Amino acid sequence: MSLPTHPISAGDIRDKLIIGLDVPSVEEARALVERIGDAGTFYKIGYQLAYAGGLEFARELIGQGKKVFLDLKLHDIGNTVEEGVRSVARLGATFLTVHAYPQTMRAAVAGKAGSDLKILAVTVLTSYDDNDLVEAGYAPVPAADLVAQRAGQARDLGIDGIVCAAPEAHRVRSIVGPDRLIVTPGIRPAGSEAGDQKRIVTPAEGIRLGANHLVVARPIVKAADPRAAAEAIVRDIAGA
């Protein structure tokens, strides 16, 4: 069954779902978008597709009236980040990710100046747990505490939003306030496999915990009927 087509409310709900185009080619991405149809309004392009022609495909999606989240997780010297963000802003993307290091965030804010691009800071990857942080060289610190520290820095530097796992969303919301965005990956519908995600929740739980947008890839991309999978997740969001 398709979702009811109320032009404003249904569109707003669909915008809360960001569909991750985690496929290896533009041709596959285009076919997937066509199969999903108007059940999807917002798409994420990450490394896999970006390096296979995905940036040009982003222009195509934007031209169709879709919103695009470029999940590029920029992190480099300040000038390189600033100029890269400036180029993305000209592309017309809605969201762009950078890693939540203060120097990188400052440069990203400077690069997006005068545009509508929203910068999202990635706090701690949802594939990381406390043991992974220790292995990466961090002093023993819970992932949730590092997320909170970086969220506070992002707020103070004028970042538009935070990417964090849903279990940290409530705490992050208390830090960044009501006006900044929280975007949550690691979302799995009930009964889905976790894959390589370690801090996951269902779509409804993600919204209840304070997320504005949920990123879902494999449960839609790998579904026998991607449109139906997307619609089911939107219904779950609406119910929250």
Side-chain angles (χ1 to χ4, degrees):
M1 179 185 296
S2 296
L3 290 164
T5 54
H6 304 298
I8 297 177
S9 60
D12 289 347
I13 294 171
R14 286 183 174 89
D15 280 353
K16 290 183 177 296
L17 170 62
I18 302 176
I19 300 170
L21 294 175
D22 294 347
V23 294
S25 71
V26 169
E27 291 72 21
E28 289 181 62
R30 186 179 291 118
L32 181 62
V33 171
E34 289 175 355
R35 291 185 69 189
I36 293 170
D38 62 4
T41 61
F42 210 150
Y43 288 94
K44 178 183 77 74
I45 294 176
Y47 290 165
Q48 183 182 27
L49 186 58
Y51 296 147
L55 296 182
E56 284 304 312
F57 184 58
R59 295 181 192 274
E60 183 178 322
L61 289 173
I62 293 165
Q64 295 172 5
K66 306 291 188 183
K67 294 181 179 180
V68 171
F69 169 14
L70 289 179
D71 188 18
L72 302 181
K73 299 184 180 71
L74 301 185
H75 180 49
D76 210 313
I77 63 172
N79 183 69
T80 298
V81 170
E82 181 175 344
E83 294 304 326
V85 171
R86 190 164 286 123
S87 294
V88 171
R90 289 194 292 267
L91 183 67
T94 299
F95 293 164
L96 170 69
T97 48
V98 303
H99 277 291
Y101 292 87
Q103 185 183 101
T104 295
M105 292 190 288
R106 287 189 194 98
V109 170
K112 69 149 235 177
S115 75
D116 294 328
L117 178 65
K118 302 296 185 186
I119 302 296
L120 305 178
V122 177
T123 51
V124 177
L125 296 173
T126 54
S127 62
Y128 276 40
D129 59 17
D130 297 348
N131 292 329
D132 293 311
L133 290 175
V134 172
E135 186 179 23
Y138 289 88
V141 56
D145 289 349
L146 184 57
V147 168
Q149 176 188 339
R150 290 180 168 177
Q153 292 172 326
R155 174 202 61 211
D156 295 343
L157 292 169
I159 292 293
D160 299 294
I162 300 295
V163 177
C164 67
E168 286 101 44
H170 182 71
R171 185 177 182 186
V172 167
R173 177 63 69 200
S174 71
I175 294 167
V176 303
D179 297 328
R180 283 184 171 81
L181 299 165
I182 294 179
V183 177
T184 298
I187 298 296
R188 293 290 185 269
S192 297
E193 293 183 2
D196 57 2
Q197 302 288 0
K198 294 182 179 177
R199 303 188 329 274
I200 63 172
V201 298
T202 66
E205 289 169 336
I207 294 297
R208 292 189 190 107
L209 287 167
N212 301 95
H213 299 274
L214 308 177
V215 179
V216 183
R218 274 169 281 188
I220 295 175
V221 171
K222 302 296 186 182
D225 186 340
R227 179 186 178 96
E231 289 181 331
I233 291 170
V234 172
R235 282 195 295 273
D236 200 17
I237 291 171

